[in-house]
């Protein structure tokens, strides 16, 4: 409820959070960006063009593009492979640990 009240999460259109469902890389990126904003540590805004290096950029949901572009520009988020973002893939524990480490170093 705290994350919802801070605007970090919104849940599904049916107003359900699905707490046991795995999280996609793009949804994790959006939550991270919103968390940093809530902590008064917002990301620098980046143009979506920075993501053109990835061959699957068209698969990124429109709501996630600004967050992913900013996280990528600040070297917090990297591609799953050198040429792919894999926005619909689930975030692994290892990827989450790397994201947290990069945020802590920010």
């Amino acid at each position: 409820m705290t994350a919802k009240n801070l605007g970090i999460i919104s849940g599904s259109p049916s107003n359900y959070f699905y707490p046991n469902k795995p999280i996609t890389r793009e949804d994790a990126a959006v939550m991270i960006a919103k968390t940093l904003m809530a902590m008064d540590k917002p990301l620098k805004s980046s143009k979506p063009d920075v993501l053109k290096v990835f061959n699957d950029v068209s698969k990124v949901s429109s709501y996630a593009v600004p967050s992913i572009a900013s996280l990528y520009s600040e070297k917090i988020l990297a591609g799953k492979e050198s040429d792919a973002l894999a926005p619909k893939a689930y975030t692994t524990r290892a990827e989450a640990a790397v994201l947290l480490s990069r945020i802590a170093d920010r």
Side-chain angles (χ1 to χ4, degrees), residues 33-66:
K34 288 181 176 182
T35 298
L36 291 170
M37 179 70 75
M39 295 172 56
D40 289 328
K41 297 181 179 192
L43 296 164
K44 294 175 189 164
S45 183
S46 275
K47 296 186 185 222
D49 293 353
V50 300
L51 301 176
K52 286 186 178 181
V53 297
F54 298 107
N55 63 17
D56 60 350
V57 69
S58 64
K59 294 180 182 176
V60 178
S61 298
S62 59
Y63 69 86
V65 170

Side-chain angles (χ1 to χ4, degrees), residues 1-9 29-43 67 103 106:
M1 288 307 299
T2 300
K4 181 170 176 47
N5 291 338
L6 290 171
I8 295 168
I9 59 167
V30 170
M31 288 174 60
I32 290 167
K34 288 181 176 182
T35 298
L36 291 170
M37 179 70 75
M39 295 172 56
D40 289 328
K41 297 181 179 192
L43 296 164
S67 298
I103 289 166
R106 183 171 177 255

